Amino acid sequence: MLSIALRTMRTRWVSFVGSFVALALGVALLAVTGLALASSLDAPERVPERFAAAPVVVRGQDTLRVPTPVGERTEELARPRAVPGAVVARLERLGTVVVDRSFPVRVHGRDVHGQGDHGRDVHGRSVPGDLVGHPWSTAAFAPYRIDAGRAPRAADEVVVTGGWAAPGDRVRTDRGTLRVVGTVRGLGFEDAVFFTDARAARLDPVSVQLTVDAEASDVRDAVRDAVRGSAGVRVLTGDDRRYADADPDRDREALTALNALFGTAGGVTAFVSVFVVASTFAFAVAQRRREFGLLRTAGATPGQLRRTVLAEALGVGVLASAAGCVLGAYGAPHLAARVVDDGLAPAWFSIGDQTWPYHVAFWTGLAVALCGAFAASWRAGRTGPVEALREASVDAGTMTRGRWLCGAGLLLTALVTLGVSLAGDPGDLLHRKTYVSRPMLLITAVALLAPVVVRPLTRSLTRLPARLPSATGMLVRENAAAGVRRTAAVAAPVLVTVALTGSLLGATATLNEAKATETRERTVAAFVITAPGDGGTGLDGTGVGHTGLDRTGLDSTGLDRRTLDRLRAIPGTEISPSSSSAVYVLEDDVALIRSDARAVADPEALTATTRLPLAAGRATDLDDHSIIVNEEWEEHTVGRNVRVWLGDGTEKTLRIAAVMHTGTGGNGVYVTPANAPRAPVDRVDVALTDGADADAVADRLREAVGPAGGQVSTGDEWIAAARPQTSGTTRLGFLLVLGIALLYTAISLVNTMLMATSDRARDLAVLRLAGATKGQVLRLVGAESLTVVAVGALLGLVVTGLNLAGMSAALGLLSVPVAPVLPWAAVGTTAGACAVLTVAASVAPAALTLRRRPVEPATIRE
């Protein structure tokens, strides 16, 4: 039987080309993702940047450490503490102490249409999008060296990095109009603006770290011998000085995102590979039932036929897997370079010399080939000798008992798990891992049950065309309905692509719409004022807000008391100032959970400007001894006490004053300023009293916040700015996943249509002998192809609808009722691409077949 398998592969090579290419590309992608994952497991140790030349850096407590029965749990503090005064006094006896400060600076007049992180100033020069302010005394620790001009001496004088400004220039910023008196060469990790030490201290009064010119051992002794308030103070030397840089964990976070990206792509690659190869082998076996019937007549046993099919799959699998590994070795470096260029990976990221990803990809590819052919081999083994005598082309017995069991079992599993999630944890359906994996279960179930609905669905789609005077509509209906296996085999890849496109893009669009709805429903303020450095919204998409950090990882400066007094003095308004912070809680005695917090001084004003999604309690009951939590908290009963840690690590016990609905998962908590230490006011919500003139109030608000650099937005502008957008990493990941699906669809469609059209040579010849012209036959073939694509697209829409309906139901249970958002444009584009491919792959070989005399294929006997 092995020799028969080899001869079959040689004579029916067209039938195996599609499987070979699909499997080779799948193995290549598995090798690429495996190599990328292997290369991202071990990041190189970062070296200090801003403090590369500093002798010793002393940093205040920046980590919360909570002992639990299973070990210590840690979280980064939202508000790191300053180095205690007693420690500073002890350190000043050892050597020179330089206080470090960092704060955001933004240039006015930047072109909002600028490319990337840069824009244009009024002179047309490129200006960095995010500048970082420092005191000049810290420049020597990078080290920065003056290359033009001099050091700053007056309050309005600065030194800048890069070539976007020159000595003598005046620059309008949110810190006032600054005069550039010097420039230094940029070092690549920041775009810095250096002020005098005195001006920097006024702009950023609280410092959490400093440098000491002394021996490290002496510094450690001084810190250890200081008062008890020095607990948590860190002495950083050598490579540990990198922890004093901005966002020292950015490489780790970037690699985590890469792991998720490549992991998702690898999972989808494996799924689609199995799906395409299985459907291709199943269709190939169905086409060869007469051939298998002849072998059975000649004495071949069912086991021998199964081994023949598996031997064919083994041959294709070995060759395709080896070719895929070669392609993967070539493509992995290009992928690494692309993710670095797109900013999704650190500049140092490259493919290593690991070999295990090749082994995983090769053996996975071989297993995929064998698993895909396994079901088909059983169908081949059941072929009876009488099949060699069959002339009818109508498919019968397409739904076997095993197919019924698997299809119904998978569908039932999908529905039961959906019900369990809705009843127990609706929020789980909003997680990316869930809405990426669930469609695969439904796709497989619908594909297995597709033959049940193919015939009635085809007849429904072609009912109207079949009633037309031309016979084309009737022939399309009968041919598509009769060839159930062919229709299901062609519809399967269309189903995969449409379902993945609709489910993945629809899930993110539905979530974004739900978050936008939350923001819209809770924002009742007429105006929203944001502080300089707050990035424009201060929102994480739900209205609670982030912890005051902008894109540079720096704390917003906040609005000072004088600005707030000017705002309160504006007639016709009610203002609600608030600050961003965080609160930590220990759940189940093992998990330290961080929640974003917003601190409001006046709960009455809060209710006038914000509509909280309360499930229990009243917002007006909030005071310095209480907290408003959400239903995600383990303890969320009004009146109960909870032990929490504040943003600076202070432990407190607070009473629950009210409970908010869970929503999309970002509702956070509310506290008073007493429980948000050192959190500056970064946002002011403004409500209008009856009869107030909105335009006049807007002018007064801008006048009041102008000196502080604040930004005034209307409520509608605020909501629009806060509307969540899919992140670049997520968008690229979905494009990669959908690209894989579309590529496989193209391969599978072309291969299947070539197989199907070549198998219908006699049918086409009979049509020609019956009087049909070549044009009529080609139009018939094209119409049949479009009908099959429509069947696959409709099945894909069914899967998409089920997935998005489950997510919509979960959002409704979480008190965010929103209709599913179906990406019609993307789904239509995908279905259109499938239609073009299918028509081209069917009409082209049909046209070649029609070049022969009709009598030749019509007289062929098998």
Side-chain angles (χ1 to χ4, degrees):
M1 300 307 289
L2 180 60
S3 61
I4 293 177
L6 293 176
R7 291 190 179 94
T8 301
M9 291 178 62
R10 184 171 62 252
T11 56
R12 287 183 172 267
W13 63 271
V14 175
S15 299
F16 293 99
V17 166
S19 298
F20 174 87
V21 175
L23 191 58
L25 289 176
V27 171
L29 288 170
L30 287 174
V32 168
T33 54
L35 288 168
L37 287 172
S39 301
S40 66
L41 294 178
D42 298 317
E45 289 292 333
R46 291 192 63 88
V47 297
E49 295 174 333
R50 282 195 59 226
F51 298 96
V56 180
V57 179
V58 179
R59 184 171 173 84
Q61 181 182 354
D62 58 3
T63 304
L64 173 63
R65 302 181 183 277
V66 178
T68 70
V70 293
E72 189 177 63
R73 293 291 181 261
T74 62
E75 277 285 348
E76 292 184 5
L77 289 175
R79 301 289 169 186
R81 295 185 178 183
V83 180
V87 176
V88 176
R90 186 72 66 92
L91 294 176
E92 287 177 339
R93 303 174 191 171
L94 300 178
T96 303
V97 174
V98 178
V99 177
D100 178 51
R101 306 177 194 277
S102 297
F103 47 90
V105 179
R106 285 184 171 79
V107 177
H108 291 324
R110 287 184 64 236
D111 180 5
V112 296
H113 302 292
Q115 299 287 325
D117 292 334
H118 289 66
R120 299 285 174 180
D121 67 4
V122 294
H123 300 295
R125 293 172 302 194
S126 178
V127 181
D130 295 298
L131 306 176
V132 185
H134 300 301
W136 173 248
S137 59
T138 63
F141 299 129
Y144 288 107
R145 298 284 186 266
I146 288 282
D147 57 15
R150 59 175 175 81
R153 298 169 187 164
D156 65 339
E157 295 181 347
V158 295
V159 171
V160 301
T161 61
W164 65 272
D169 289 347
R170 289 185 176 272
V171 183
R172 291 178 57 247
T173 72
D174 56 355
R175 310 299 180 179
T177 300
L178 306 176
R179 184 158 50 98
V180 179
V181 297
T183 60
V184 296
R185 182 176 59 86
L187 299 181
F189 56 84
E190 66 176 355
D191 296 301
V193 180
F194 292 98
F195 295 78
T196 63
D197 288 12
R199 179 70 188 281
R202 289 195 299 271
L203 294 175
D204 187 22
V206 179
S207 170
V208 299
Q209 60 191 20
L210 49 84
T211 65
V212 185
D213 187 7
E215 292 292 332
S217 58
D218 295 337
V219 173
R220 290 191 179 92
D221 292 339
V223 170
R224 185 176 57 251
D225 296 339
V227 295
R228 291 173 55 189
S230 65
V233 175
R234 303 169 66 189
V235 178
L236 306 175
T237 60
D239 287 344
D240 286 346
R241 290 171 297 176
R242 70 183 184 276
Y243 294 114
D245 292 330
D247 198 10
D249 294 326
R250 60 183 180 272
D251 285 355
R252 184 183 63 187
E253 295 168 357
L255 292 182
T256 300
L258 279 179
N259 287 337
L261 170 64
F262 293 133
T264 301
V268 173
T269 298
F271 167 74
V272 180
S273 298
V274 173
F275 196 91
V276 169
V277 173
S279 62
T280 302
F281 268 94
F283 182 54
V285 169
Q287 281 189 309
R288 296 165 60 189
R289 60 182 182 272
R290 294 177 185 174
E291 174 187 326
F292 291 140
L294 287 172
L295 291 174
R296 292 280 285 119
T297 304
T301 65
Q304 288 176 320
L305 293 183
R306 294 188 183 105
R307 287 192 293 272
T308 299
V309 174
L310 289 176
E312 294 169 355
L314 180 63
V316 172
V318 170
L319 296 176
S321 297
C325 288
V326 175
L327 288 175
Y330 174 78
H334 294 281
L335 178 63
R338 180 61 185 270
V339 295
V340 170
D341 292 341
D342 290 342
L344 299 177
W348 52 260
F349 181 74
S350 62
I351 300 300
D353 56 358
Q354 297 86 351
T355 58
W356 63 263
Y358 295 109
H359 292 281
V360 172
F362 179 87
W363 295 110
T364 300
L366 188 57
V368 164
L370 294 177
C371 289
F374 184 75
S377 70
W378 280 97
R379 177 176 295 275
R382 291 198 305 271
T383 304
V386 73
E387 295 291 337
L389 305 177
R390 290 187 58 178
E391 291 292 337
S393 297
V394 178
D395 288 328
T398 55
M399 288 299 296
T400 62
R401 182 179 302 176
R403 189 161 187 159
W404 271 112
L405 290 176
C406 292
L410 288 174
L411 182 61
L412 183 63
T413 300
L415 296 177
V416 169
T417 54
L418 174 62
V420 170
S421 296
L422 290 175
D425 184 13
D428 181 62
L429 296 175
L430 309 184
H431 297 160
R432 185 168 61 178
K433 289 183 178 179
T434 303
Y435 65 70
V436 167
S437 60
R438 284 191 62 82
M440 299 181 189
L441 190 63
L442 278 172
I443 287 171
T444 307
V446 172
L448 288 172
L449 298 176
V452 179
V453 298
V454 161
R455 187 171 283 121
L457 189 58
T458 301
R459 293 186 179 279
S460 298
L461 289 173
T462 56
R463 178 174 299 175
L464 182 59
R467 295 180 179 180
L468 297 177
S470 172
T472 301
M474 182 268 294
L475 289 175
V476 168
R477 181 186 65 183
E478 298 304 326
N479 286 339
V484 173
R485 287 194 179 94
R486 180 180 68 248
T487 302
V490 176
V494 180
L495 160 65
V496 172
T497 309
V498 171
L500 285 178
T501 301
S503 297
L504 298 185
L505 299 183
T508 56
T510 302
L511 276 177
N512 288 342
E513 182 60 31
K515 292 177 181 179
T517 300
E518 283 185 306
T519 303
R520 185 166 51 249
E521 290 182 349
R522 73 192 311 168
T523 302
V524 295
F527 299 96
V528 179
I529 301 170
T530 53
D534 192 50
T537 64
L539 276 177
D540 60 3
T542 62
V544 172
H546 53 57
T547 56
L549 301 181
D550 71 356
R551 290 179 300 169
T552 64
L554 302 176
D555 200 350
S556 63
T557 304
L559 301 172
D560 56 31
R561 185 182 300 276
R562 287 179 296 179
T563 301
L564 295 178
D565 290 340
R566 289 195 297 269
L567 291 173
R568 291 189 178 95
I570 298 175
T573 64
E574 185 171 1
I575 71 169
S576 176
S578 59
S579 310
S580 296
S581 188
V583 169
Y584 308 85
V585 64
L586 189 66
E587 295 188 353
D588 297 323
D589 290 330
V590 294
L592 186 61
I593 307 297
R594 168 181 170 146
S595 295
D596 287 340
R598 183 148 290 278
V600 292
D602 186 356
E604 293 287 349
L606 172 65
T607 58
T609 58
T610 304
R611 186 186 298 113
L612 296 184
L614 293 181
R618 297 181 303 176
T620 53
D621 291 339
L622 180 67
D623 56 30
D624 291 346
H625 305 288
S626 61
I627 184 174
I628 298 177
V629 302
N630 60 70
E631 291 177 325
E632 280 189 308
W633 280 45
E634 180 184 23
E635 179 57 74
H636 55 268
T637 303
V638 174
R640 295 283 185 88
N641 291 331
V642 289
R643 184 178 67 146
V644 300
W645 288 264
L646 306 181
D648 67 343
T650 302
E651 182 178 351
K652 267 199 166 185
T653 299
L654 300 176
R655 174 180 51 85
I656 298 178
V659 179
M660 295 182 292
H661 290 294
T662 301
T664 57
N667 278 339
V669 302
Y670 281 83
V671 294
T672 62
N675 295 315
R678 295 181 32 251
V681 174
D682 56 11
R683 195 176 94 197
V684 178
D685 297 294
V686 182
L688 299 178
T689 59
D690 293 338
D693 186 342
D695 293 335
V697 169
D699 293 337
R700 296 286 301 273
L701 291 174
R702 294 187 180 95
E703 182 181 350
V705 302
Q711 179 180 344
V712 179
S713 305
T714 65
D716 292 338
E717 291 172 343
W718 163 260
I719 293 171
R723 184 176 182 85
Q725 301 293 332
T726 304
S727 68
T729 302
T730 301
R731 188 181 301 108
L732 180 60
F734 285 167
L735 289 177
L736 179 62
V737 168
L738 296 178
I740 294 170
L742 188 57
L743 178 63
Y744 273 19
T745 298
I747 296 169
S748 179
L749 285 175
V750 171
N751 178 57
T752 305
M753 293 311 300
L754 286 173
M755 294 166 58
T757 306
S758 62
D759 194 50
R760 297 181 61 194
R762 295 180 62 195
D763 295 340
L764 301 180
V766 169
L767 288 174
R768 290 282 288 120
L769 292 174
T773 65
K774 291 183 179 180
Q776 289 175 325
V777 173
L778 294 179
R779 285 195 294 272
L780 171 65
V781 172
E784 288 182 15
S785 302
L786 291 176
T787 302
V788 175
V789 171
V791 171
L794 287 175
L795 292 177
L797 287 175
V798 169
V799 173
T800 299
L802 290 174
N803 279 300
L804 297 185
M807 177 173 285
S808 180
L811 289 168
L813 293 174
L814 296 171
S815 303
V816 192
V818 63
V821 179
L822 190 64
W824 288 108
V827 170
T829 301
T830 301
C834 293
V836 171
L837 285 171
T838 306
V839 171
S842 59
V843 171
L848 292 176
T849 301
L850 294 176
R851 294 176 63 182
R852 293 184 292 173
R853 295 176 57 194
V855 70
E856 294 177 4
T859 57
I860 293 177
R861 290 290 182 266
E862 296 186 16

